[in-house]
Amino acid sequence: MVENTSPLLVKEEGNHELFNISLRPLDVSDIDDFMVWATDEEVTRFCTWEPYKSKEEGLDYIKNVVLPHPWLRAICLDNRPIGAISVTKNSGNDACRGELGYVLASKYWGKGIATRAVKMVTRAIFGEWPQLERIEALVDVQNKGSQRVLEKAGFQREGVLRKYFILKGRTRDMVVFSLLSTDPQEECSHEFSNISFRLLDLSDIDDFMVWAADEEVARFCTWEANMTKEEGLDYIKNMVLPQPWWLRAICLDNQPIGFISLTKNSGKDACRGELGYVLGSKYWGKGIATGAVKMVTQAKFRECPELGRIEALVEVENKGSQRVLEKAGFQREGVLRNYRILKGRLTDLLIFSLVSTDPQV
C-alpha cells in the first residue's frame, strides 16, 4: 500500500492490458482484491509494511489510512483493483511539493500499467492543484523496476539521498526523482484519464451514430455523413464485427467515442499491418487519438513478434491525422499518387510507418 514516504515497487514494460486501466477510490468492499497484493512478499519487499496476515488487518488499514487520505486511488483493471497510487501534498512553505507513492500486484508487473497510472495521476494532479509545482518520488536504490517506471513516466533522477529512510529496521539510501509542472508531458488532458478499449457491439449504435453522422468526421472516411441508423447497424454487422484481426471501440467511461483497428496482412506481407482510427469531433485536439495509437502499436508489436511494420494511409488534406501519427512516433515516407478511390474520386495518400525497432515514444 502507499504511504507518505513509502518507497515504490513495480517493474515496467508495456502490454495491451493497460487498455482497460482506470483509477477510482479504494473502499472496504475491495478488501479481497487489496489482500492479493498486501499479503505478497514480493510486493512488500520495498514497502513500509510486512505482508498482512489477516483480512482484519487489511480492513483496519483501509479504514484508518486509505479512506482519510487526501488523494489516493485504486489502480483498476476492468474496474477491479490491482494496486493503488497516491499523492500527498505538503503544507506551508513546502506546499509547492507533493510526494507520489504506488503499489501494484506482482501479477501485473512488466506490463506498462504502473507507468500509465503514474502519467494519468501526474496530469490530473497538476490540473487539480494549480499551486503544485513539483511531484517527487523516493525509491530504494535497489528497486530498479520502480526507477524505470518513473523514468518512463517523464520523471528526472536528481540524486541519491544517503541513509535517508529507515525501512524495516535498516537505514536505506533513496533515489529522489521529480516531475515539475513545467516539464514536457504527453499531450493528453487529465479529464480523459479514464479512456479504455473494448469490443464495439450493435448495442453501441447510438454512440456510433454520433461520429458516423458527423460531417467533419465523415469527410475523410469511406462513408457519407447522411448515414441512417439502419445503415449504421448494417455497417457494424458487416464491417466491424467480422473485422479479420483487431478492432476496438475507444471509450470514455466505457462509452464509445470512436474506434481503432489494426488489420494484419498474410503470406509474404505478414510482417505488415495497417492502422485505422476514427474519433468523435468533440474529442479532437485532446491527445486521445495519439494516446490510443501509441497504446495499440506498442501492444501489437509485443503480442505479434512477426509484425515488423505498422503503416497508416492518410489523405494529403487530413492534417489533423498526420499530426496524430507524427506525435505517436510514425515516420512520413512519401505520397502515393492516385492510390485509392474515396467517394468516387482518385485520391493521393500519404504513407506513414512505425517499425518494431523504432523508439517508442
Side-chain angles (χ1 to χ4, degrees), residues 22 57 71 82 100 122 137 185 193 217 264 299 310:
S22 60
E57 289 179 325
W71 204 100
I82 59 173
L100 177 76
T122 53
Q185 295 188 56
S193 61
V217 175
K264 188 181 172 189
I310 296 174

Side-chain angles (χ1 to χ4, degrees), residues 29-239:
S29 61
D30 298 311
I31 182 61
D32 290 333
D33 294 313
F34 171 84
M35 293 300 288
V36 170
W37 70 80
T39 58
D40 188 333
E41 290 186 0
E42 285 189 277
V43 173
T44 60
R45 180 185 172 197
F46 294 111
C47 295
T48 55
W49 74 88
E50 299 290 350
Y52 282 98
K53 302 298 184 184
S54 69
K55 189 179 285 190
E56 290 69 27
E57 289 179 325
L59 284 168
D60 184 67
Y61 186 89
I62 294 176
K63 290 176 183 177
N64 297 318
V65 177
V66 173
L67 297 182
H69 197 284
W71 204 100
L72 186 149
R73 301 290 186 271
I75 302 170
C76 296
L77 178 61
D78 294 324
N79 204 43
R80 184 172 182 175
I82 59 173
I85 188 165
S86 70
V87 179
T88 304
K89 187 169 64 170
N90 295 311
S91 59
N93 292 336
D94 296 323
C96 60
R97 296 190 289 113
E99 185 170 343
L100 177 76
Y102 54 89
V103 65
L104 193 69
S106 58
K107 176 183 177 180
Y108 301 99
W109 295 355
K111 299 178 184 297
I113 294 172
T115 297
R116 175 64 176 165
V118 169
K119 289 179 179 179
M120 291 163 67
V121 168
T122 53
R123 285 194 297 263
I125 286 297
F126 280 132
E128 291 178 24
W129 295 345
Q131 72 275 29
L132 196 68
E133 299 291 341
R134 169 190 170 95
I135 299 174
E136 59 192 24
L138 300 173
V139 188
D140 194 295
V141 291
Q142 297 178 11
N143 191 349
K144 304 300 183 183
S146 201
Q147 293 174 41
R148 288 194 294 271
V149 167
L150 293 167
E151 288 166 351
K152 290 180 180 180
F155 280 66
Q156 290 190 33
R157 174 176 172 145
E158 294 182 332
V160 176
L161 307 177
R162 298 178 300 157
K163 297 191 181 301
Y164 189 80
F165 189 79
I166 297 175
L167 180 63
K168 297 173 179 174
R170 185 166 68 86
T171 303
R172 306 290 185 107
D173 294 345
M174 307 295 286
V175 184
V176 59
F177 289 83
S178 73
L179 183 73
L180 306 184
S181 62
T182 53
D183 286 340
Q185 295 188 56
E186 289 183 8
E187 183 184 350
C188 182
S189 174
H190 67 276
E191 62 183 305
F192 298 108
S193 61
N194 45 354
I195 290 294
S196 61
F197 293 64
R198 66 167 172 82
L199 294 172
L200 190 69
D201 193 65
L202 292 173
S203 61
D204 298 311
I205 183 61
D206 290 334
D207 295 312
F208 173 83
M209 292 303 295
V210 171
W211 70 79
D214 185 333
E215 290 188 2
E216 286 188 275
V217 175
R219 179 184 173 194
F220 296 113
C221 294
T222 56
W223 66 82
E224 299 289 351
N226 59 4
M227 181 186 292
T228 66
K229 191 169 186 176
E230 289 70 28
E231 289 173 329
L233 284 167
D234 186 67
Y235 185 89
I236 295 176
K237 287 178 186 176
N238 298 316
M239 299 296 292

